[in-house]
Amino acid sequence: MDVSISLSTTRPPFSLSRQLFLRPRLLRFSPNFGVFLRKPPSISRQNKLAVTALQLSNQTQNDDFVLEDVPHLTNFLPDLPSYPNPLQKSQAYSIVKRNFVSPDDVVAQNVVIQKENPRGVHFRRAGPREKVFFKPEEVRACVVTCGGLCPGINTVIREIVCGLNNMYGVQDILGIEGGYKGFYSKNTKILNPKVVNDIHKRGGTFLCTSRGGHDTHKIVDNIEDRGINQVYIIGGDGTQRGAALIYEEVKKRGLQVAVAGIPKTIDNDIAVIDKSFGFDTAVEEAQRAINAAHVEVESVENGVGIVKLMGRYSGFIAMYATLASRDVDCCLIPESPFYLEGRGGLFEFIEQRLKENGHLVIVVAEGTGQEYVAAEVHAADKKDASGNKLLLDVGPWLSDKIKDHFTMSRKMPVNMKYIDPTYMIRAIPSNASDNIYCTLLAHGAVHGAMAGYTGFTVGPVNSKQAYIPIARVTERQNTVKLTDRMWARLLASTNQPSFIGSDQERVDKEILKI
């Protein structure tokens, strides 16, 4: 579904007659850059039925329109010259009906809205522009990867390099090794299409990675000293916050440097965008672990299989893997606290399933039940180099709890099978779907940087690639909403307890937000 719209022309709220036409809607740009207010449309051809319908609809339609724009180099370098986009002469793009994205094209954050509500928030649509603000021969670009691994990183690297070279003719591209600290403590790699030709077939990151090491002044000093004028940063929310600081320092120094972010997290917990790259691959690979657990528990008496999947604060991988598998009896995620004993608890459910089927499989996200584990092991709060809280291992803890309860309390021996495929899932190459998605992300970032946009991140919003202010994707983490239909579908699929009694107050608050 094409959910992008143009700021310059829109259709009437309700198209009841083909004889009703509207002139282009005029825009008035407000002082707080990012809000457009549209003047009422004028009618060029009228009939009584159509006019009446329009009047009725306008009584309830609120045309408030918000554009959350991204910075542009001309904001602080107003005299920056522009040049015709080299894609005008590209053989590949010559057959495209609309070579370039109109500056008026935007993408709606919400597709489903009620007619009396405001139009809502929109973002600039990603893609090539008619004018660019860099001469290809003067571009020196760099690519850096930070944080944990995720399927698809190498594909993004490859497509940034190939996109710059094949589409725009950029020859000077550097790879920063070892994350942010690589800017000032590591050597760089010369990147070209030949060097990165087959890296998408491998897992991990061709450029290596690290957590932490962000020193804004040192990084920008290095960017300035090396003559880099395009920076492509691949990483999660912490990495993107670092990218925002780099942009601010570049702006402060008045440098013609475009900073583009490509959001990365295997947990799919980045706000605004539809999903993060590598997520589909992770869900697909998780099926192998779930299937193995199911085979194991089916082959023994009272078999209980536990599969621990990634998901520090968000249970998307666990939820989607459960829905895709059909072999999972219970899914536990950080957003939905559970309890073990008592009516409606996990132990009661396990006993019921063992009596019915003789086995069951539980999928648990790594961030689930941390408060229970911490209360027993008395662990001190520790954080990694990125500032993330180090998680306690819920998998073995839950396995021991289940085994002890049924062996000692219920006198019902169980055969426990525990599988932790965490690093196997995130270290594999991306699948076909993610490879295509990574290509769109990389090309979107390249088009944006060449067009002079900076301090932005790129990602799909309602299936259309958009340029998003970095602050929007780092302001909060995307989590599973217990009041959404997807979680309801999972509960219906597994027929597991909702554990609603342990978290009723939290669910009530979510309902009030709707």
Side-chain angles (χ1 to χ4, degrees):
M1 179 188 296
D2 190 342
V3 296
S4 66
I5 66 171
S6 172
L7 296 181
S8 57
T9 59
T10 56
R11 295 178 180 174
F14 296 94
S15 182
L16 297 180
S17 171
R18 293 189 179 183
Q19 295 180 351
L20 175 63
F21 295 91
L22 300 182
R23 293 195 185 103
R25 294 189 177 186
L26 302 178
L27 302 177
R28 185 168 68 255
F29 192 66
S30 72
N32 56 332
F33 190 71
V35 179
F36 288 87
L37 303 175
R38 290 183 296 188
K39 295 180 180 179
S42 59
I43 301 174
S44 59
R45 298 183 185 178
Q46 304 179 28
N47 60 49
K48 291 182 179 180
L49 175 63
V51 172
T52 302
L54 181 62
Q55 289 172 343
L56 288 174
S57 63
N58 279 343
Q59 289 176 4
T60 56
Q61 176 121 348
N62 187 331
D63 274 342
D64 291 346
F65 183 99
V66 178
L67 172 65
E68 292 206 14
D69 212 348
V70 294
H72 195 273
L73 289 172
T74 54
N75 292 359
F76 56 93
L77 297 171
D79 298 325
L80 201 62
S82 63
Y83 313 95
N85 194 319
L87 287 177
Q88 289 178 347
K89 301 177 181 178
S90 168
Q91 197 172 22
Y93 275 78
S94 62
I95 60 172
V96 178
K97 188 174 181 180
R98 286 183 60 192
N99 275 0
F100 303 111
V101 173
S102 166
D104 291 337
D105 283 359
V106 296
V107 179
Q109 182 173 13
N110 295 318
V111 173
V112 180
I113 59 173
Q114 295 178 333
K115 61 184 179 181
E116 67 271 12
N117 287 351
R119 291 289 299 279
V121 173
H122 298 72
F123 303 100
R124 286 203 180 274
R125 187 178 182 183
R129 266 50 179 180
E130 190 172 0
K131 296 291 184 180
V132 297
F133 288 80
F134 292 93
K135 290 182 178 180
E137 63 272 17
E138 294 177 357
V139 171
R140 168 168 270 202
C142 73
V143 186
V144 64
T145 59
C146 307
L149 297 182
C150 176
I153 296 177
N154 281 335
T155 305
V156 176
I157 296 171
R158 182 189 190 278
E159 295 310 315
I160 289 174
V161 174
C162 292
L164 282 167
N165 185 275
N166 298 339
M167 291 190 296
Y168 287 97
V170 174
Q171 301 292 326
D172 195 355
I173 309 169
L174 302 176
I176 306 298
E177 297 183 281
Y180 274 136
K181 64 183 180 182
F183 276 100
Y184 51 85
S185 65
K186 294 277 186 179
N187 292 327
T188 59
K189 289 183 178 180
I190 303 298
L191 302 181
N192 56 54
K194 186 176 180 179
V195 170
V196 301
N197 180 55
D198 63 350
I199 64 173
H200 62 291
K201 299 177 183 178
R202 312 175 217 162
T205 167
F206 174 71
L207 297 176
C208 298
T209 186
S210 67
R211 296 188 182 275
H214 186 278
D215 187 316
T216 305
H217 291 284
K218 284 185 178 181
I219 292 171
V220 179
D221 285 346
N222 184 273
I223 290 171
E224 193 171 4
D225 292 344
R226 290 179 180 270
I228 295 169
N229 51 19
Q230 289 186 10
V231 183
Y232 297 92
I233 301 172
I234 306 168
D237 54 353
T239 300
Q240 297 305 313
R241 281 191 285 269
L245 293 175
I246 292 172
Y247 156 70
E248 291 294 341
E249 183 63 22
V250 164
K251 177 182 176 182
K252 182 180 177 182
R253 300 188 189 188
L255 304 177
Q256 186 187 348
V257 177
V259 180
I262 296 92
K264 170 202 67 69
T265 171
I266 199 170
D267 293 346
N268 196 39
D269 59 358
I270 295 177
V272 181
I273 65 174
D274 297 345
K275 65 178 178 180
S276 52
F277 74 82
F279 176 71
D280 281 352
T281 305
V283 171
E284 184 177 303
E285 185 67 13
Q287 303 304 296
R288 295 160 60 89
I290 293 172
N291 183 59
H294 187 249
V295 170
E296 286 285 344
V297 299
E298 267 194 325
S299 304
V300 295
E301 183 181 3
N302 291 334
V304 178
I306 294 180
V307 179
K308 188 184 79 170
L309 299 177
M310 299 191 75
R312 181 180 294 273
Y313 303 112
S314 304
F316 286 105
I317 293 179
M319 180 173 70
Y320 277 83
T322 295
L323 281 168
S325 170
R326 312 296 176 183
D327 287 331
V328 178
D329 297 273
C330 186
C331 176
L332 304 175
I333 60 174
E335 296 88 338
S336 179
F338 66 97
Y339 54 98
L340 297 173
E341 301 179 356
R343 186 173 182 179
L346 184 60
F347 288 156
E348 181 184 77
F349 174 73
I350 293 174
E351 184 172 354
Q352 177 187 346
R353 280 294 166 94
L354 288 177
K355 289 178 179 178
E356 291 174 354
N357 302 330
H359 62 270
L360 87 160
V361 174
I362 299 172
V363 167
V364 57
E366 62 179 332
T368 305
Q370 290 297 302
E371 64 277 14
Y372 300 144
V373 187
E376 294 199 8
V377 301
H378 306 291
D381 286 345
K382 295 181 180 180
K383 296 184 177 181
D384 61 21
S386 297
N388 299 312
K389 183 179 178 180
L390 292 175
L391 298 178
L392 301 170
D393 201 339
V394 66
W397 174 85
L398 184 59
S399 298
D400 291 341
K401 281 292 183 183
I402 293 172
K403 189 173 183 178
D404 291 345
H405 172 80
F406 284 97
T407 301
M408 301 174 65
S409 301
R410 306 299 295 174
K411 306 300 180 183
M412 180 182 175
V414 294
N415 283 291
M416 295 297 307
K417 307 294 181 182
Y418 176 60
I419 298 177
D420 181 357
T422 299
Y423 294 105
M424 294 173 62
I425 287 175
R426 76 178 199 172
I428 64 172
S430 54
N431 63 13
S433 174
D434 273 320
N435 270 337
I436 295 170
Y437 176 26
C438 290
T439 300
L440 297 179
L441 288 174
H443 286 190
V446 168
H447 292 316
M450 290 298 295
Y453 292 112
T454 182
F456 70 92
T457 190
V458 63
V461 178
N462 292 316
S463 80
K464 287 294 180 182
Q465 297 294 318
Y467 296 137
I468 307 164
I470 292 178
R472 283 302 311 274
V473 299
T474 59
E475 64 187 1
R476 64 175 180 83
Q477 287 177 314
N478 190 29
T479 57
V480 174
K481 300 295 185 295
L482 302 183
T483 52
D484 278 1
R485 288 189 180 89
M486 192 57 74
W487 183 245
R489 293 182 183 112
L490 180 141
L491 295 179
S493 174
T494 61
N495 201 26
Q496 70 184 64
S498 63
F499 304 109
I500 202 79
S502 67
D503 202 29
Q504 184 64 55
E505 183 179 350
R506 181 177 173 185
V507 173
D508 288 343
K509 289 180 180 179
E510 283 199 18
I511 293 174
L512 290 174
K513 293 178 183 177
I514 297 178

